[in-house]
């Protein structure tokens, strides 16, 4: 069932039924995109501006995650709801923060907007993957609070 | 707060195209300086500036590298920091003449640790933890040329100056002024000037006055984005800065040194003494300047791009450092340390470099900083997101360390 909104955005989709998975991300050695999607619990990450989850807004899907287990690389691409989404970088921060402790330390996580999905694609991607900038942003109390609200909001 | 503007309210800044330069954020590196004192390097780019004589002496010494196999042997792993280690710096004039080697490391745990090598066991021990001063990540640290002072740059927008009183470190001054995160600090060769830079896009030059007083003499605007690193030339009062705007700028002062201006913005078409830079664009670039002009004191002698090392790294290179013998070390986001030396193939104009060795899994996580010891030619330190500092020895594969 799709809920249409009277105002222009966003398009909200129904929540998918959650399939029970093992809670332990290290239960087996394989790192599976579906597992990452689940860990991200995108159903539970709230969009910074709207009271819906990233999943409901189709910002992220299971297909947006690729894993190269041999090299230890994870690539997540997400689709902001509109081309000039000013919250794209905050969403990226939330994704990174959510994944932080789930993988062996040598794993590298790259987060990008889906190609063509954002007007400032290159600069958003550059910022999201600049380790120093991400670290400084997460030490900033205002941003920290916003990220925490997105990740831990009980409104969903 | 300013940082909120960049996260969530639209980004400013553009990626400059069509200018041959690093295609992404330039990080700094070093200038090799064999004339005593620590290697200074600016910009996540390692800027190594060599003098003419040095270059010739390097060219004879690098013949040795071509003939042998080398390995990087881990000597020790220093644990203690509780968050990633961003930067480290060897203390000048230590590790020689019976003075134990000393190293400072700065961390996301808001502290700086001082490590000293025991003359009895040869192991490095943590001698001091500089804490309760910065309240955010300490991003970098730099010793004054005399080793008496240590400057620490922090995301808390301040730079602290510490004095070593026989093993006890006290914060004797705090430099304020940057609007947000300070990312790098560097002393000039004589120790009379200090430079800092940060996300507020500016570079500050401070004069070192008696009684641990510091006075800002210039605020340099010119970069259009976050300035990630600054480094002074090892013998001249020329300052290099590198930035998220993908450029390296060269700054020189006029006679009285209070009027600083940008004399050059580096891109590939510019064309010394050599400097090496590294970047998010996965390349290492070597730059050179007109040695004659520099030796005659001309700080505005232009820099030219000499060569680019590409295809060796597949993730961001965070640090490069040029040793006194001309070995370039790199620390990257694939957890590896790589060493490059000049290649003597002689098939092209100008220098070319080749990979001497790659140390995979040098750390468990990203390598943020590499620094050759200024005193012991084949000793290297590295700092990592895994919270450790490692000491390495470059040996020939037969296991013998050359003098």
């Amino acid at each position: 069932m799709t809920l249409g909104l009277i105002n222009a955005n966003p398009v909200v989709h129904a929540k998918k039924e959650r399939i029970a998975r093992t809670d332990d991300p290290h239960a087996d050695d394989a790192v599976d995109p579906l597992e990452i999607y689940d860990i991200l619990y995108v159903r539970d990450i709230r969009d910074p501006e709207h009271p819906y989850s990233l999943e409901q807004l189709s910002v992220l899907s299971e297909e947006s995650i690729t894993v190269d287990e041999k090299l230890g690389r994870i690539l997540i691409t997400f689709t902001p709801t509109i081309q000039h989404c000013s919250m794209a970088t905050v969403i990226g921060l939330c994704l990174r923060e959510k994944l932080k402790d789930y993988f062996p330390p040598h794993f590298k996580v790259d987060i990008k907007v889906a190609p063509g999905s954002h007007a400032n694609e290159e600069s958003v991607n550059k910022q999201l993957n600049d380790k120093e900038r991400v670290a400084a942003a997460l030490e900033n109390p205002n941003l920290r609070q916003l990220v925490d609200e997105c990740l831990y909001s009980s409104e969903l | 707060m300013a940082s909120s503007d960049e996260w969530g309210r639209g980004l400013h800044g553009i990626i400059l195209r069509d200018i041959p330069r690093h295609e992404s954020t330039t990080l700094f590196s070093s200038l090799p300086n064999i004339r005593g004192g620590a290697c200074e390097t600016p910009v996540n780019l390692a800027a190594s500036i060599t003098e003419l004589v040095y270059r010739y002496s390097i060219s004879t010494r690098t013949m040795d590298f071509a003939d042998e196999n080398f390995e990087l042997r881990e000597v020790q792993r220093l644990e203690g920091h509780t968050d990633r280690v961003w930067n480290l710096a060897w203390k000048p004039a230590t590790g020689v003449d019976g003075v134990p080697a000393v190293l400072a490391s700065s961390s996301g745990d808001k502290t700086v640790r001082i490590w000293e090598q025991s003359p009895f066991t040869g192991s490095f021990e943590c001698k001091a933890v500089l804490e309760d001063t910065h309240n955010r990540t300490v991003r970098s640290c730099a010793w004054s040329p005399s080793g008496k002072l240590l400057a620490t740059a922090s995301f808390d927008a301040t730079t602290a100056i510490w004095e070593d009183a026989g093993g006890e470190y006290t914060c004797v001054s705090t430099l304020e002024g940057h609007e947000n995160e300070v990312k790098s600090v560097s002393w000039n060769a004589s120790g009379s000037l200090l430079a800092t830079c940060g996300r507020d896009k500016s570079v500050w030059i401070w004069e070192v006055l008696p009684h641990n007083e510091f006075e800002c003499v210039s605020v340099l605007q010119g970069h259009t984005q976050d300035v990630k690193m600054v480094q002074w030339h090892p013998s001249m009062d020329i300052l290099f800065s590198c930035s998220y705007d993908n450029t390296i700028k060269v700054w020189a002062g006029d006679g009285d040194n209070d009027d600083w201006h940008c004399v050059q913005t580096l891109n590939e078409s510019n064309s010394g003494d050599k400097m090496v830079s590294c970047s998010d664009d996965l390349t290492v670039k070597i730059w050179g300047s007109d040695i004659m002009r520099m030796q005659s004191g001309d700080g505005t002698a232009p820099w030219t791009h000499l060569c680019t090392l590409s295809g060796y790294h597949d993730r961001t290179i965070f640090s490069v450092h040029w040793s006194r013998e001309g070995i370039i070390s790199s620390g990257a986001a694939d957890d590896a340390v790589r060493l490059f030396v000049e290649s003597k193939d002689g098939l092209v104009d100008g220098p070319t470099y080749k990979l001497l060795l790659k140390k995979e899994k040098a750390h468990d996580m990203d390598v943020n900083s590499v620094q050759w010891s200024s005193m012991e030619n084949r000793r290297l330190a590295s700092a990592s997101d895994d919270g450790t500092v490692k000491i390495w020895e470059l040996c020939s594969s037969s296991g013998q360390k050359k003098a």
Side-chain angles (χ1 to χ4, degrees):
Chain A
M1 192 172 70
T2 303
L3 306 173
L5 296 182
I6 292 167
N7 60 4
N9 37 284
V11 178
V12 182
H13 302 271
K15 299 182 193 188
K16 272 198 210 161
E17 195 183 310
R18 176 175 297 172
I19 301 161
R21 295 192 196 279
T22 168
D23 277 339
D24 175 11
H26 299 301
D28 54 63
D29 284 344
V31 176
D32 160 30
L34 296 179
E35 215 179 296
I36 297 173
Y37 186 68
D38 235 29
I39 288 165
L40 282 171
Y41 289 125
V42 295
R43 299 166 178 91
D44 295 338
I45 299 179
R46 210 197 72 167
D47 180 271
E49 282 186 331
H50 306 286
Y52 296 105
S53 74
L54 294 184
E55 185 198 31
Q56 288 175 297
L57 298 172
S58 290
V59 172
L60 204 67
S61 72
E62 289 160 2
E63 292 71 41
S64 349
I65 298 164
T66 35
V67 180
D68 179 333
E69 236 188 304
K70 190 155 164 279
L71 283 179
R73 308 275 159 94
I74 296 167
L75 172 63
I76 298 176
T77 54
F78 68 96
T79 307
T81 51
I82 51 172
Q83 277 281 330
H84 288 88
C85 176
S86 55
M87 286 290 154
T89 47
V90 176
I91 294 170
L93 272 185
C94 291
L95 295 175
R96 209 175 260 293
E97 187 62 9
K98 184 83 190 193
L99 283 177
K100 201 174 52 166
D101 299 317
Y102 277 93
F103 297 102
H106 69 276
F107 265 69
K108 313 296 176 188
V109 178
D110 292 326
I111 301 185
K112 299 188 174 181
V113 294
S117 70
H118 196 280
N120 294 328
E121 181 177 329
E122 263 193 66
S123 52
V124 171
N125 288 342
K126 181 173 171 176
Q127 184 151 321
L128 284 178
N129 296 289
D130 183 316
K131 184 171 77 176
E132 188 179 47
R133 291 285 281 257
V134 168
L138 290 170
E139 282 186 5
N140 174 302
N142 296 338
L143 275 170
R144 182 84 244 182
Q145 194 185 354
L146 183 55
V147 167
D148 287 347
E149 276 170 14
C150 293
L151 292 182
Y152 306 117
S153 168
S154 55
E155 284 174 27
L156 291 169
Chain B
M1 279 189 75
S3 85
S4 296
D5 288 339
E6 292 153 8
W7 297 89
R9 277 185 227 142
L11 299 167
H12 18 272
I14 42 174
I15 311 257
L16 298 165
R17 299 176 207 265
D18 301 324
I19 297 173
R21 63 174 75 204
H22 274 297
E23 285 162 35
S24 189
T25 304
T26 13
L27 307 170
F28 240 151
S29 120
S30 61
L31 300 164
N33 174 22
I34 57 168
R35 302 256 220 92
C39 285
E40 310 289 15
T41 56
V43 163
N44 234 351
L45 308 175
S48 276
I49 302 184
T50 59
E51 299 291 335
L52 181 65
V53 168
Y54 176 42
R55 193 167 71 165
Y56 284 143
S57 64
I58 276 185
S59 64
T60 53
R61 277 190 244 183
T62 50
M63 306 262 271
D64 297 333
F65 299 125
D67 300 336
E68 293 192 50
N69 288 325
F70 284 86
E71 63 179 26
L72 203 60
R73 186 175 64 85
E74 180 180 322
V75 172
Q76 194 181 349
R77 182 167 182 259
L78 312 181
E79 295 178 326
H81 280 299
T82 55
D83 200 311
R84 58 166 45 117
V85 186
W86 280 108
N87 192 232
L88 50 83
W90 290 97
K91 185 169 173 181
T94 65
V96 72
D97 295 338
V99 179
V102 173
L103 183 60
S105 58
S106 66
S107 170
D109 66 11
K110 310 175 193 168
T111 75
V112 171
R113 282 180 177 252
I114 311 293
W115 313 85
E116 191 175 297
Q117 187 174 28
S118 158
F120 308 111
T121 65
S123 286
F124 282 80
E125 294 155 3
C126 182
K127 285 310 217 184
V129 180
L130 279 43
E131 55 192 343
D132 299 329
T133 293
H134 287 302
N135 50 39
R136 284 182 59 177
T137 286
V138 189
R139 177 61 183 86
S140 74
C141 55
W143 297 94
S144 65
S146 66
K148 291 203 182 81
L149 298 174
L150 177 70
T152 59
S154 170
F155 284 178
D156 69 9
T158 73
T159 304
I161 310 293
W162 305 79
E163 190 170 56
D164 173 12
E168 289 274 320
Y169 288 81
T170 327
C171 177
V172 295
S173 191
T174 302
L175 312 186
E176 295 176 343
H178 279 288
E179 290 171 22
N180 45 48
E181 296 92 49
V182 188
K183 301 201 169 176
S184 178
V185 59
S186 174
W187 302 82
N188 72 344
S190 63
S192 63
L193 297 171
L194 192 64
T196 57
C197 67
R199 186 167 59 83
D200 63 7
K201 309 175 192 152
S202 66
V203 174
W204 289 52
I205 298 185
W206 309 78
E207 199 179 331
V208 184
L209 302 170
H211 310 301
N212 294 323
E213 296 279 321
F214 293 79
E215 187 187 308
C216 174
V217 297
S218 197
V219 176
L220 310 178
Q221 314 279 8
H223 280 295
T224 56
Q225 300 226 40
D226 185 358
V227 189
K228 285 181 172 277
M229 191 183 202
V230 281
Q231 187 84 39
W232 290 95
H233 186 283
S235 57
M236 302 174 66
D237 281 347
I238 302 167
L239 183 66
F240 298 84
S241 60
C242 64
S243 164
Y244 193 86
D245 68 14
N246 306 351
T247 69
I248 306 168
K249 284 185 181 287
V250 186
W251 310 86
D254 67 9
D256 66 23
N257 272 349
D258 274 4
D259 183 17
W260 291 82
H261 50 279
C262 176
V263 297
Q264 190 182 6
T265 298
L266 287 186
N267 63 50
E268 218 167 305
S269 65
N270 297 338
S271 59
D273 284 11
K274 297 192 291 235
M275 169 163 59
V276 53
S277 62
C278 65
S279 166
D280 207 38
D281 71 4
L282 313 183
T283 70
V284 170
K285 291 181 188 288
I286 316 286
W287 313 79
S289 187
D290 185 319
I291 290 135
M292 296 305 195
R293 278 177 71 174
M294 294 205 72
Q295 281 191 322
S296 67
D298 180 359
T300 63
W303 289 80
T304 57
H305 168 262
L306 297 179
C307 80
T308 294
L309 309 181
S310 60
Y312 294 99
H313 299 85
D314 66 342
R315 289 194 71 84
T316 300
I317 308 149
F318 286 113
S319 175
V320 276
H321 199 231
W322 211 329
S323 80
R324 294 153 62 98
E325 293 179 293
I327 309 170
I328 299 171
S329 63
S330 75
D334 64 353
D335 314 346
V337 168
R338 292 169 177 77
L339 303 183
F340 297 89
V341 290
E342 196 167 342
S343 160
K344 294 280 143 201
D345 289 341
L347 296 172
V348 294
D349 251 341
T352 56
Y353 286 78
K354 60 172 190 163
L355 181 71
L356 182 68
L357 68 84
K358 174 184 177 188
K359 186 75 183 179
E360 287 192 16
K361 300 200 192 4
H363 280 274
D364 297 335
M365 296 172 77
D366 292 6
V367 182
N368 293 322
S369 180
V370 284
Q371 288 275 309
W372 293 98
S373 162
S374 48
M375 289 300 145
E376 286 152 295
N377 284 341
R378 303 281 172 96
R379 171 174 285 181
L380 181 74
S382 60
S384 166
D385 276 358
D386 65 15
T388 71
V389 170
K390 287 195 180 187
I391 313 289
W392 308 86
E393 209 69 67
L394 178 65
C395 322
S396 65
S397 288
S398 58
Q400 289 169 346
K401 181 189 164 194
K402 293 188 78 157

